């Protein structure tokens, strides 16, 4: 029996698929933590709910500024070639359903950018298209079964988000004007 070193080297490409669930959770927690911090800095309290499974099309629910966002998270390693993503049709049944695509660095497992698929706060998700997805694995008949509750959405339908601040605005609207500036004309 051999012992592994206590210090782990940077994540290697061969391990990415083996640790995909952990990587997705790490990215989710980092994003949610940053969103909470941004909302608190704007003076907006928020509530975060995590689903046990993504059966209903979302991974996390965040409520802030009177808006409830059901969010499906997708990820792609920086420089990855995946150009389409499976989005649950049930997400469109939620009042402000949306999806966030997180690009991430394979060495640090940290987000490097975001893309947003959704509408303005309070508005339902637009039509996802009619391209039904298939399972990634073969079934007993050696075919890939259809997944009627999911649509394949090209990356081009996601808005490229410049910063986390822009993402917060896309999710919950612009930051409120501080009370001390309310009604006061600001010189430019």
């Amino acid at each position: 029996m051999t012992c592994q070193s206590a210090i782990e080297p940077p994540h290697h490409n061969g391990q990415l698929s083996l640790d995909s669930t952990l990587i997705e959770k790490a990215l989710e927690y980092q994003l949610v933590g940053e969103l909470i911090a941004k909302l608190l800095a704007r003076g907006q309290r928020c509530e975060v709910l995590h689903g046990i499974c993504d059966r209903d099309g979302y991974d996390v629910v965040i409520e802030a500024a009177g808006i409830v966002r059901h969010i499906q998270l997708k990820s792609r390693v920086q420089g990855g070639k995946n150009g389409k993503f499976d989005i649950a049709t049930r997400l469109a049944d939620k009042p402000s359903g949306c999806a966030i695509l997180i690009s991430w660095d394979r060495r640090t497992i940290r987000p490097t950018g975001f893309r947003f698929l959704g509408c303005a706060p309070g508005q339902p998700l637009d039509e996802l298209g009619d391209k039904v997805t298939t399972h990634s694995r073969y079934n007993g008949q050696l075919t890939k079964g259809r997944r009627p509750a999911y649509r394949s959405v090209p990356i081009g339908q996601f808005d490229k988000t410049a910063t986390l601040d822009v993402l917060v605005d896309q999710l919950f609207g612009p930051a409120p004007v501080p009370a001390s500036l309310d009604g006061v004309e600001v010189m430019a």
Side-chain angles (χ1 to χ4, degrees):
M1 186 154 101
T2 61
C3 295
Q4 290 184 350
S5 168
I7 300 174
E8 292 287 330
H11 210 278
H12 296 289
N13 294 346
Q15 290 288 110
L16 292 179
S17 63
L18 296 175
D19 293 335
S20 63
T21 302
L22 287 173
I23 290 170
E24 287 174 6
K25 282 298 176 190
L27 294 169
E28 176 182 336
Y29 294 147
Q30 290 175 74
L31 174 63
V32 169
E34 288 293 325
L35 290 174
I36 291 169
K38 292 286 183 185
L39 288 164
L40 289 173
R42 289 168 45 150
Q44 295 176 303
R45 293 182 51 123
C46 63
E47 185 174 346
V48 178
L49 305 169
H50 291 272
I52 295 172
C53 65
D54 63 359
R55 179 196 69 183
D56 291 316
Y58 59 87
D59 299 294
V60 64
V61 178
I62 303 177
E63 179 181 0
I67 302 297
V68 177
R69 284 286 195 178
H70 290 76
I71 304 169
Q72 186 173 24
L73 298 173
K74 296 294 180 181
S75 65
R76 177 172 89 160
V77 69
Q78 189 174 3
K81 303 297 183 209
N82 191 4
K84 59 185 190 274
F85 299 88
D86 296 352
I87 305 296
T89 56
R90 284 184 161 178
L91 199 56
D93 296 337
K94 304 300 180 189
S96 290
C98 63
I100 298 172
L101 172 60
I102 306 169
S103 294
W104 56 278
D105 182 290
R106 74 177 70 241
R107 290 180 307 105
T108 62
I109 309 177
R110 297 254 180 234
T112 59
F114 306 98
R115 289 181 178 257
F116 177 77
L117 178 71
C119 291
Q123 300 300 310
L125 188 62
D126 280 339
E127 179 64 37
L128 293 172
D130 55 4
K131 180 139 174 61
V132 176
T133 65
T134 57
H135 287 281
S136 59
R137 296 187 180 117
Y138 290 97
N139 60 20
Q141 291 79 36
L142 299 179
T143 61
K144 292 183 177 182
R146 294 172 52 86
R147 298 174 74 197
Y150 289 85
R151 297 295 179 268
S152 180
V153 178
I155 195 169
Q157 281 188 239
F158 287 77
D159 293 332
K160 191 167 186 177
T161 302
T163 65
L164 201 54
D165 289 312
V166 171
L167 182 60
V168 173
D169 287 348
Q170 288 174 309
L171 289 167
F172 302 106
V177 176
S180 61
L181 297 178
D182 202 20
V184 176
E185 193 171 315
V186 179
M187 300 288 285

